[in-house]
Amino acid sequence: MAVSTTAGPSASASELGSLFTTALLTLFIMVAGIVVSVAFAAGAYFLISLVLPAYKLIGAVAVMVLGVAACFGYFWGSNRILDTIYPASGANIAANLTKANAIRPWLFLGPAIVILTLYLVYPVINSIWLSFHGPTGQAWVGTSNYEWLAADDGFRESMRNNILWLIVVPAAATFFGLIAAALTDRIAWGNIAKSLIFMPMAISFVGASVIWKFIYDYRPPGTEQIGVLNAIVTSMGGEPQAWLTIPLWNNFFLMVVLIWIQTGFAMVILSAALRGIPEETIEAAIIDGASPFQIFYKIKVPQIWGTIAVVWTTITILVLKIFDIVLTMTNGQWGTQVLANYMFDWMFRGLDFGRASTIALIIMIMVVPIMIWNIREARKDMK
Amino acid sequence: MAGVLIKNIKKSYGATEVIHGIDLEIKTGEFVVFVGPSGCGKSTLLRMIAGLESITSGDMYIGEERVNDIPPSQRGIAMVFQSYALYPHMSVYDNMAFGMKIAKAPKAEIEKRVKAAAEILQLTPYLDRLPKALSGGQRQRVAIGRAIVRDPKVFLFDEPLSNLDAALRVATRIEIAKLKESMPESTMIYVTHDQVEAMTLADRIVVLSAGHIEQVGAPIELYEKPANLFVAQFIGSPAMNIQPAKIDKTGEKTTIRLGKTRADLPIPSPAEMAGKEVRLGVRPEDLTIATNGNGLFDGRVNIVESLGEVTNVYLDVENVPDPVIVKLPGVQRFNRGETVSLAADPGKLHLFNESGRSLLYLDGAQG
Amino acid sequence: MSTAVGKRPALVWAVNLTVLLLVVIWTVPTFGILISSLRDKDQIAVSGWWTALFPSEQNIVARTAPPADAVEEDGRWVLRGNVFEGGSGRISAFGVSIQRPSEFEPGTQAEMRGGGTLTVDKNGDYVLAFEEQPEGRRGERIFVTSLEPPKFTLDNYRTVLFSEGIGQSFINTLTVTIPATVIPILIAAYAAYALSWMQFPGRALLLATVVGLLVVPLQMSLIPLLRLYNDVGIGKSYIGIWLAHTGFGLPLAIYLLRNYIAGLPREIIESARVDGASDFEIFRKIVLPLSFPALASFAIFQFLWVWNDLLVATVFLGNNEEQLVMTGRLRELLGSRGGNWEILTASAFVAIVVPIIVFFALQRYLVRGLLAGSVKGG
């Protein structure tokens, strides 16, 4: 990484040579720093595990402390090595500083670049490769995984559901978030209300699934309903329903869980955006005789479109990856399959890495437009 | 202690050059002020002296040493920033001691120097406080104290007063002047856009515009003998009035014609200027109302601003596009539209050729 | 806004009611499992949790002490006792025949069919009086309608913590979460500093890459990493999952911290440079302490994310007692104990209580982090 990005296009041969040595030196210092600090930490861990009994929590704390120490040791050590090679004093101070300054950023960035490459960049490339291979990733199968996908009913169902999720969840969460943000800003106990609406953000998808499964609980007619939803339905004279098994509708009952979680997120962000609107524009509208609703829809909302878009896309990305809720509530039965869970299915139950990778790639492709948009926005910001 | 020598310094960001070859010598113990409109390059020049901006070409010496590639901390400079740049998470003491701690100076030495600096600046009671618990003026003093503790050869000030309110600005200005007096050997370089600060503090002022030096000189010299139109209009408030005139007679003294009137100016002019168009400059405070009818030119009163101590009168004058301003002492009354005749002491008039250069500096000297 | 004259009270009411409705909808589900987890397991199965909040009306049949035990008082033979037999409750009515179990108000006197009078007080104390000494070994039946106060118990928690493995899972989750929160912070902070305050070629490209990686779905990484781990021999280990969480958390960490660190005043950094601090010292002594709010924001994010994660743990950790995290356990319980709501609700509450505490204690930082991560582009 360091090697390829340091080289400018117009570097002459001698510049290239010195660049090459710089890059080599950078690499050397990085490796030396990592090896020394990791070796030190591993040694310390070994010693500690000799002395201390094998309580897991103590082990975890020890590893945590040592991991952080190793991290810090790397940064400290590699900088120290660099300063020893190019000291910022003596006769060559100017040249030394220039060289050290060319290397130092890469020492700071080193671990991040290595980990990002290993955990995010390499997997994308490897997944593409795997998608052309068989279940164990050995036999080349050409495009047959893609052909299978195109004809597969499970995939179609997942796509249909994912699209439903993509339409409903970001819209609903943003809508409720906007309403909650606009209303809580106007009342005295708004902050408490906000806290409570925001709270589901802290709850895991699995926890939320348990919570909502309890709400959707179904008992046969005639017995007392312990799920809130069926209790309400029966108290109004309706028939109790096994909500999670009603085709198509059950998707919406699953979506409710994510909307419930994400509304708080939308509310917090939109509330900050609403408060960022210049007060004068609102006062001008009041003087112009606008009603509170007109102020909201014609003055406030148009001024926060950018933030609404950000909230929307953030939730969209989350929805594309939605997995836990479906896995724990229905496991994709009764027509509720989604891409991420389908991929998980093929990975662990189907044991076909080729097909699973192909499904993962589909999710990736759906993310790409948002990725490009984000990068463009970020570049605009940094200018 | 050391001076600063700047030789043909240039600075470019990519393809755009912002400093176009500056030469300047600052002597040991001098207080030099860089002034100029915003974007003129004065801060960039200061930051190049500090080592916070790299030098594109040219040479920079502090004392005997060429410092182009020396890092800031080893140049023997200290800098006071516009926003004070105090470390918000450190006490006043730690703020002042930070540089010496980095340099691994002995603890006793650090304490001695910090205490001494705090004493000078009356900061001793606040040493344990965090910057956020200080007033603006106190923060400014901590920033100065931090510079003193470094015991630098050269002090650099980057618009240090512009974040203070008017009253505090005057008080701190006087304190900086006193500080300079107490450290006659220290060289100080001070950047400001406020000409009052420049006039009151400087031994010499460097006027910059668009990456060039316009004039270097003592404050009064700049006021009395501006080298060009830019300096003439930049120094002094309200700005100097400029109007077209024609040279009638050249020589030791120059006779100019201004509409129907003539005036003899004690400014020498070369023979080839005869008959040429020139620009006549006269400061608002040098104009008076001619009572005997033989004024230099006439003007029609447009706006009158009474400030109590002075009255500024804006007049429309034939052939002059901008209003001519007259600054008269005390409270004076005029009627709008009234025509008055204006006179001036010929010794206080300024002449500039069509390229804007003062006739006093035609030999190319910059003063 | 609030100071503007002519506010409409109806609108104010509508706003308050709407918010109240929202708050109720958003809190009731969680409240429901909290209440259920504290209920008796037999009651959970037969009545809705909301009924547990109010005293419930119950019909009890009590039996007095045997008439032979009656003692003489003022010329009458009296039996005294309490219908709740050691418990407590409030009587709303009582009766002496099964046909009319709530015929009498508490405190009134009822005639027994077999002779004698019965009085039952509100607190359940009864007095059965006979004119003559009664005989018999069987006590009389008393029918009472009682209002039982809500009854709560910690038994469910005792069960899940010590015999359902939730306690062990809690420790496993902690073991995963703490290192996986701390390690990325340090790595990201250094990278963010370099991206903010150091000059080097390719900086803009790197930044764009980080923004791009922000949205890469982690499903992409599962299979390649699983294969890689098996090849390298890390397999299913804590080291593996710490590094995985570090990798997945890094883009956001770098992005958040860079936004914050790049926003620190330039003059402070320069001042430190003039003071002779190297980049390493500037980072450690100036930038790190000043970035505390951003570090805290990300730490909370990462903590919540790792604590609540199911997917990464399922893929990179084993399914055994030693490694099963809380989310995984909860999912397993949903499968194996699907109907046992006392187990599920208590487990769920144990699983969500730590994040909720963190959430309420550090909400300020979380909100700040969200805003830094979202309003500006990302």
Side-chain angles (χ1 to χ4, degrees):
Chain A
M1 200 69 181
V3 185
S4 60
T5 42
T6 358
S10 63
S12 71
S14 70
E15 271 173 349
L16 263 176
S18 77
L19 245 152
F20 186 68
T21 40
T22 309
L24 263 186
L25 193 63
T26 312
L27 221 59
F28 167 75
I29 297 175
M30 259 163 74
V31 170
I34 290 176
V35 167
V36 170
S37 53
V38 167
F40 171 78
Y45 181 68
F46 181 68
L47 286 179
I48 289 175
S49 56
L50 278 185
V51 178
L52 282 176
Y55 286 130
K56 237 167 66 164
L57 210 54
I58 295 178
V61 169
V63 169
M64 184 192 88
V65 171
L66 287 172
V68 173
C71 253
F72 201 78
Y74 158 77
F75 288 112
W76 183 81
S78 59
N79 273 277
R80 199 57 196 267
I81 297 172
L82 185 64
D83 287 337
T84 317
I85 297 175
Y86 294 126
S89 60
N92 288 330
I93 177 166
N96 279 354
L97 274 174
T98 319
K99 283 180 187 155
N101 282 342
I103 292 178
R104 205 182 308 273
W106 300 109
L107 298 183
F108 276 43
L109 287 162
I113 290 177
V114 169
I115 290 179
L116 285 179
T117 309
L118 191 63
Y119 281 84
L120 292 168
V121 179
Y122 157 76
V124 173
I125 298 161
N126 192 242
S127 289
I128 295 173
W129 185 85
L130 279 171
S131 73
F132 292 104
H133 287 74
T136 56
Q138 271 144 3
W140 171 268
V141 295
T143 56
S144 74
N145 284 330
Y146 292 91
E147 283 156 25
W148 160 79
L149 204 63
D152 183 55
D153 284 339
F155 174 69
R156 278 197 205 143
E157 177 193 317
S158 308
M159 270 310 257
R160 180 203 67 187
N161 290 341
N162 257 87
I163 289 168
L164 275 181
W165 279 76
L166 279 178
I167 295 168
V168 175
V169 175
T174 312
F175 175 76
F176 286 122
L178 190 59
I179 299 288
L183 296 184
T184 51
D185 274 347
R186 302 172 62 112
I187 57 176
W189 52 288
N191 279 334
I192 299 168
K194 259 188 206 146
S195 263
L196 292 172
I197 296 175
F198 192 28
M199 184 199 62
M201 267 292 276
I203 296 174
S204 60
F205 289 157
V206 183
S209 300
V210 174
I211 291 173
W212 282 88
K213 223 176 167 180
F214 192 40
I215 288 190
Y216 296 146
D217 189 84
Y218 165 75
R219 301 278 146 135
T223 47
E224 186 160 353
Q225 297 295 333
I226 67 167
V228 174
L229 194 56
N230 273 323
I232 293 173
V233 167
T234 48
S235 77
M236 294 195 304
E239 279 284 296
Q241 304 284 333
W243 304 105
L244 292 177
T245 59
I246 310 170
L248 201 61
W249 288 105
N250 50 8
N251 280 302
F252 293 96
F253 291 115
L254 297 187
M255 290 177 208
V256 165
V257 182
L258 192 58
I259 296 169
W260 179 70
I261 292 175
Q262 287 300 314
T263 295
F265 162 78
M267 173 196 68
V268 164
I269 305 244
L270 294 173
S271 150
L274 283 175
R275 262 178 280 151
I277 293 175
E279 192 77 2
E280 286 88 349
T281 60
I282 296 157
E283 284 168 354
I286 293 174
I287 289 168
D288 282 343
S291 73
F293 293 102
Q294 285 170 322
I295 290 175
F296 184 67
Y297 286 111
K298 296 194 172 154
I299 309 293
K300 288 185 173 177
V301 172
Q303 293 193 65
I304 58 167
W305 271 126
T307 310
I308 292 178
V310 168
V311 169
W312 197 292
T313 49
T314 309
I315 299 176
T316 299
I317 290 166
L318 191 76
V319 168
L320 275 171
K321 298 185 284 188
I322 193 62
F323 160 76
D324 316 37
I325 295 175
V326 176
L327 177 79
T328 42
M329 288 186 85
T330 62
N331 197 9
Q333 299 172 79
W334 309 297
T336 56
Q337 193 62 283
V338 291
L339 286 176
N341 194 47
Y342 198 46
M343 180 243 165
F344 188 81
D345 246 18
W346 275 104
M347 183 174 165
F348 278 122
R349 236 163 298 157
L351 291 175
D352 188 330
F353 283 0
R355 287 182 178 182
S357 294
T358 314
I359 302 169
L361 273 176
I362 300 294
I363 303 177
M364 179 73 199
I365 289 167
M366 292 170 82
V367 171
V368 165
I370 296 174
M371 186 190 266
I372 292 170
W373 186 74
N374 272 357
I375 292 176
R376 285 174 56 175
E377 289 297 304
R379 298 202 82 148
K380 250 191 265 166
D381 251 20
M382 276 151 202
K383 288 258 158 65
Chain B
M1 295 297 139
V4 177
L5 179 63
I6 295 169
K7 278 189 183 164
N8 197 25
I9 288 283
K10 290 183 181 167
K11 173 74 187 175
S12 312
Y13 293 108
T16 39
E17 195 175 82
V18 292
I19 303 277
H20 313 284
I22 282 186
D23 291 290
L24 183 66
E25 188 180 355
I26 297 166
K27 295 185 204 68
T28 303
E30 240 188 327
F31 197 124
V32 170
V33 176
F34 295 172
V35 288
S38 55
C40 70
K42 55 188 191 295
S43 275
T44 310
L45 188 59
L46 188 81
R47 292 164 56 82
M48 280 156 87
I49 298 172
L52 294 171
E53 298 278 353
S54 64
I55 294 165
T56 309
S57 76
D59 300 297
M60 166 101 57
Y61 293 87
I62 294 178
E64 299 300 307
E65 194 181 9
R66 184 174 181 275
V67 295
N68 283 43
D69 299 310
I70 305 285
S73 57
Q74 297 182 21
R75 292 187 178 198
I77 52 110
M79 186 148 169
V80 177
F81 292 89
Q82 177 174 2
S83 63
Y84 324 140
L86 300 182
Y87 310 125
H89 57 301
M90 297 184 193
S91 68
V92 169
Y93 182 94
D94 289 334
N95 259 285
M96 298 211 275
F98 184 72
M100 292 187 74
K101 278 187 184 162
I102 291 282
K104 304 208 165 59
K107 250 193 159 163
E109 172 74 11
I110 297 178
E111 183 156 347
K112 204 181 88 196
R113 296 246 290 262
V114 171
K115 290 257 163 84
E119 204 54 46
I120 296 174
L121 295 161
Q122 298 127 47
L123 285 169
T124 312
Y126 310 112
L127 281 177
D128 292 331
R129 291 209 191 159
L130 286 179
K132 65 175 177 221
L134 299 180
S135 70
Q138 287 166 339
R139 286 179 208 181
Q140 178 60 69
R141 293 214 296 277
V142 175
I144 294 172
R146 203 163 60 176
I148 293 175
V149 169
R150 287 180 60 76
D151 192 21
K153 294 182 267 186
V154 182
F155 282 89
L156 306 174
F157 296 90
D158 189 1
E159 309 218 14
L161 305 185
S162 54
N163 279 3
L164 299 177
D165 63 45
L168 212 48
R169 200 178 299 174
V170 175
T172 316
R173 197 175 74 207
I174 292 166
E175 261 184 66
I176 291 177
K178 277 193 208 152
L179 183 75
K180 175 70 190 91
E181 245 167 61
S182 68
M183 295 192 280
E185 283 297 291
S186 304
T187 310
M188 295 191 178
I189 304 176
Y190 188 108
V191 163
T192 182
H193 61 264
D194 180 320
Q195 48 164 307
V196 179
E197 279 171 37
M199 298 294 279
T200 51
L201 288 169
D203 294 330
R204 280 198 299 157
I205 295 178
V206 178
V207 183
L208 289 143
S209 139
H212 289 288
I213 290 185
E214 295 286 348
Q215 190 174 7
V216 180
I220 295 306
E221 191 185 340
L222 258 52
Y223 178 79
E224 288 179 341
K225 295 176 176 174
N228 50 44
L229 273 176
F230 180 83
V231 177
Q233 292 203 286
F234 189 76
I235 304 282
S237 170
M240 187 187 277
N241 299 305
I242 305 291
Q243 48 189 303
K246 204 168 214 167
I247 294 194
D248 251 14
K249 218 170 81 197
T250 59
E252 277 300 296
K253 285 195 165 192
T254 308
T255 307
I256 57 158
R257 204 172 65 221
L258 192 69
K260 290 171 294 234
T261 50
R262 286 161 187 255
D264 284 340
L265 276 58
I267 299 171
S269 54
E272 68 266 21
M273 296 276 306
K276 290 265 174 69
E277 288 283 344
V278 287
R279 323 278 282 159
L280 172 72
V282 53
R283 294 200 180 274
E285 54 271 35
D286 292 337
L287 281 169
T288 52
I289 306 292
T291 44
N292 50 7
N294 57 354
L296 205 52
F297 54 89
D298 293 343
R300 228 176 62 231
V301 174
N302 193 357
I303 296 169
V304 180
E305 292 177 343
S306 287
L307 304 177
E309 61 166 325
V310 291
T311 303
N312 292 334
V313 187
Y314 293 70
L315 303 135
D316 293 329
V317 175
E318 211 179 327
N319 288 334
V320 184
D322 297 321
V324 168
I325 306 172
V326 185
K327 191 172 176 182
L328 298 166
V331 180
Q332 313 255 354
R333 302 201 184 282
F334 293 93
N335 295 320
R336 189 154 187 231
E338 170 186 359
T339 302
V340 292
S341 180
L342 296 166
D345 173 1
K348 295 198 166 163
L349 298 178
H350 308 262
L351 279 183
F352 305 92
N353 67 14
E354 62 268 48
S355 59
R357 179 170 287 271
S358 167
L359 263 54
L360 288 171
Y361 295 91
L362 281 183
D363 51 356
Q366 285 199 327
Chain C
M1 272 291 285
S2 52
T3 50
V5 287
K7 277 183 107 180
R8 282 175 267 180
L11 196 65
V12 174
W13 270 105
V15 167
N16 273 294
L17 283 176
T18 316
V19 176
L20 189 66
L21 185 70
L22 278 174
V23 167
V24 167
I25 295 175
W26 256 258
T27 49
V28 156
T30 318
F31 191 61
I33 68 147
L34 171 62
I35 296 300
S36 295
S37 71
L38 291 169
R39 290 180 77 199
D40 183 70
K41 71 176 185 199
D42 298 327
Q43 288 192 340
I44 295 178
V46 296
S47 63
W49 58 267
W50 51 93
T51 58
L53 296 175
F54 312 103
S56 55
E57 210 162 75
Q58 273 188 321
N59 292 319
I60 306 174
V61 183
R63 203 171 270 283
T64 64
D69 294 356
V71 281
E72 192 178 0
E73 273 178 31
D74 303 332
R76 302 195 316 165
W77 295 86
V78 179
L79 275 170
R80 287 176 193 277
N82 188 290
V83 292
F84 293 117
E85 287 165 10
S88 66
R90 291 176 72 78
I91 303 289
S92 61
F94 72 97
V96 292
S97 72
I98 194 158
Q99 286 83 21
R100 278 167 293 173
S102 46
E103 191 180 359
F104 304 101
E105 295 274 303
T108 55
Q109 211 172 57
E111 291 285 334
M112 302 291 282
R113 272 177 303 174
T117 56
L118 174 71
T119 311
V120 183
D121 283 335
K122 268 191 177 157
N123 62 4
D125 287 342
Y126 64 85
V127 178
L128 182 57
F130 300 96
E131 294 301 325
E132 289 158 28
Q133 182 171 12
E135 281 173 18
R137 302 188 141 263
R138 270 173 80 82
E140 300 285 343
R141 286 194 298 172
I142 307 177
F143 302 89
V144 286
T145 307
S146 79
L147 272 177
E148 290 217 35
K151 229 196 249 168
F152 295 112
T153 163
L154 287 172
D155 282 350
N156 301 331
Y157 285 98
R158 221 163 283 141
T159 313
V160 298
L161 282 178
F162 300 112
S163 53
E164 289 291 337
I166 284 286
Q168 179 64 41
S169 292
F170 190 91
I171 293 174
N172 295 346
T173 298
L174 212 59
T175 314
V176 171
T177 307
I178 293 175
T181 304
V182 178
I183 295 172
I185 291 180
L186 201 60
I187 292 177
Y190 272 99
Y193 175 79
L195 288 170
S196 311
W197 294 107
M198 293 169 104
Q199 297 295 329
F200 57 92
R203 198 168 92 155
L205 184 74
L206 254 177
L207 263 175
T209 311
V210 169
V211 173
L213 293 178
L214 220 43
V215 296
V216 168
L218 91 103
Q219 274 81 7
M220 288 298 301
S221 304
L222 300 180
I223 295 172
L225 286 178
L226 199 60
R227 282 162 52 95
L228 187 74
Y229 275 15
N230 287 335
D231 290 348
V232 176
I234 302 182
K236 305 211 165 195
S237 67
Y238 280 111
I239 286 278
I241 195 170
W242 290 334
L243 286 175
H245 275 307
T246 302
F248 302 143
L250 260 188
L252 181 68
I254 297 176
Y255 181 72
L256 271 186
L257 294 180
R258 197 212 82 98
N259 275 353
Y260 191 89
I261 291 175
L264 292 176
R266 164 176 286 273
E267 293 193 334
I268 287 186
I269 312 279
E270 289 180 338
S271 179
R273 209 158 267 164
V274 171
D275 272 342
S278 67
D279 277 311
F280 188 65
E281 284 165 323
I282 293 175
F283 175 78
R284 209 158 49 91
K285 296 190 171 148
I286 310 288
V287 171
L288 213 50
L290 291 184
S291 307
F292 176 77
L295 299 177
S297 295
F298 173 73
I300 296 166
F301 259 130
Q302 181 77 354
F303 178 87
L304 291 180
W305 157 247
V306 175
W307 187 281
N308 289 338
D309 159 78
L310 171 68
L311 182 55
V312 179
T314 312
V315 175
F316 293 111
L317 274 184
N319 222 352
N320 52 35
E321 189 66 15
E322 284 294 297
Q323 291 190 319
L324 194 58
V325 293
M326 215 138 43
T327 46
R329 174 79 65 184
L330 211 49
R331 179 197 156 213
E332 199 189 77
L333 288 175
L334 262 176
S336 63
R337 309 291 217 101
N340 296 26
W341 283 110
E342 76 282 2
I343 304 280
L344 286 172
T345 53
S347 306
F349 203 75
V350 172
I352 66 178
V353 73
V354 172
I356 284 187
I357 289 170
V358 169
F359 170 84
F360 279 116
L362 301 169
Q363 203 181 34
R364 199 158 48 99
Y365 292 107
L366 182 67
V367 169
R368 206 180 309 182
L370 278 179
L371 294 179
S374 306
V375 172
K376 269 185 123 190

